[in-house]
Amino acid sequence: MADFRITRGGSWVSIPWDCRSACRYDHHFDHRIEYVGFRVCCSLQGNNHPINSIINSTINLTTMTTINMLAIPAGTFEMGSAMSPSEQPVHPVSLEAFSMSETLITQAQWRAVAQWKPRDGECWGMELDPDPSHFKGDDLPVECVNWKEAMEFCNRISQRTGRHYTLPSEAQWEYACRAGSTTKYPWGDEITHENANFWDSHHSTTPVGSYPPNAWGLRDMIGNVWEWIRDRWHSNYDGAPTDGSAWE
């Protein structure tokens, strides 16, 4: 399954089962789909900046466009669930502090980075379409971008800022989504259209931040668009890392 990567969180077309904090699916890394997007993550690994400046930060893309990064505290949680074989075995994972974008990457943020011209010392890995999304709107999540293009977005902001930005690992994503919860969803065991944009809510994506945040301030962790994860797909958690790193 080397060509398949994990997606998390469910989307505007997802049924409640698919929107659970522990639910995981695989998509081919070349697929561009109108219900798959991403958010970015910054870990301490590979960074030579003070911890506070890495964790609590704003990425300036243009004079008018930024990405707000929220602090995710270090901790240990039980990853997975007993509800599906692919989510087993449930296992403890201990993570260092990291930061994650408050929202899904928007079309305005994507367009800003896609239109950057390399500066001296910068080298882009591939061209990016500034306007790939099926649903159009600056505040809507970017979608119809594949895994490699999402990683190129991270590559560009890493080179521009000197910090290590990437897609979250699967463990980082679930830990941040749960935000200390142990229920099916970050807010409890039931989901309604007041909580998230999922099955039959709007029949399209919605502006990021339209729904209440989880306990750590992150928005749209559930619904709107599935989120690309850095890890390769594995059919279960046998042999999975326990330190929060991505599983290749």
Side-chain angles (χ1 to χ4, degrees):
M1 302 292 283
D3 292 339
F4 287 80
R5 296 285 169 165
I6 295 167
T7 54
R8 287 296 212 114
S11 76
W12 59 274
V13 297
S14 297
I15 61 174
W17 174 270
D18 295 339
C19 295
R20 293 174 298 111
S21 298
C23 188
R24 56 199 300 265
Y25 277 97
D26 60 306
H27 283 91
H28 193 278
F29 65 65
D30 266 342
H31 285 176
R32 298 183 181 94
I33 314 170
E34 66 269 25
Y35 51 81
V36 178
F38 70 102
R39 71 180 68 222
V40 299
C41 177
C42 183
S43 64
L44 301 183
Q45 183 179 5
N47 287 293
N48 296 314
H49 297 269
I51 290 177
N52 287 340
S53 72
I54 295 170
I55 295 178
N56 303 295
S57 62
T58 298
I59 310 171
N60 296 308
L61 307 179
T62 69
T63 56
M64 300 293 291
T65 308
T66 62
I67 300 175
N68 189 31
M69 302 294 292
L70 296 186
I72 308 300
T76 300
F77 81 115
E78 294 294 315
M79 183 173 179
S81 83
M83 299 185 71
S84 170
S86 71
E87 299 163 13
Q88 299 175 31
V90 176
H91 58 290
V93 178
S94 296
L95 300 93
E96 294 185 351
F98 60 97
S99 65
M100 183 175 281
S101 56
E102 178 182 4
T103 70
L104 298 157
I105 296 302
T106 67
Q107 292 175 35
Q109 292 164 342
W110 174 270
R111 184 167 56 252
V113 173
Q115 292 177 335
W116 278 354
K117 302 301 181 185
R119 297 173 179 171
D120 289 345
E122 296 177 342
C123 182
W124 300 162
M126 62 192 303
E127 293 294 319
L128 295 177
D129 180 355
D131 188 27
S133 299
H134 176 75
F135 301 106
K136 305 298 184 183
D138 283 355
D139 293 333
L140 294 179
V142 69
E143 20 88 1
C144 289
V145 296
N146 63 33
W147 183 88
K148 293 183 291 185
E149 291 163 338
M151 287 293 286
E152 172 62 14
F153 180 96
C154 298
N155 170 50
R156 293 188 183 191
I157 60 175
S158 294
Q159 291 188 56
R160 182 71 42 109
T161 63
R163 296 173 177 171
H164 181 60
Y165 292 97
T166 187
L167 297 176
S169 71
E170 187 175 22
Q172 286 175 323
W173 189 94
E174 185 172 329
Y175 177 68
C177 177
R178 290 186 177 278
S181 67
T182 57
T183 48
K184 288 182 184 177
Y185 308 99
W187 53 80
D189 285 324
E190 302 295 333
I191 185 172
T192 74
H193 293 146
E194 300 298 316
N195 303 125
N197 178 17
F198 69 105
W199 180 256
D200 220 20
S201 293
H202 296 278
H203 307 286
S204 68
T205 58
T206 48
V208 301
S210 294
Y211 294 89
N214 72 6
W216 289 343
L218 298 167
R219 294 179 177 269
D220 294 315
M221 295 297 286
I222 299 299
N224 219 359
V225 292
W226 287 95
E227 301 184 32
W228 284 117
I229 300 297
R230 196 157 79 252
D231 306 43
R232 294 185 187 275
W233 171 257
H234 297 264
S235 60
N236 58 46
Y237 288 136
D238 286 332
T242 59
D243 62 355
S245 59
W247 190 12
E248 292 293 326

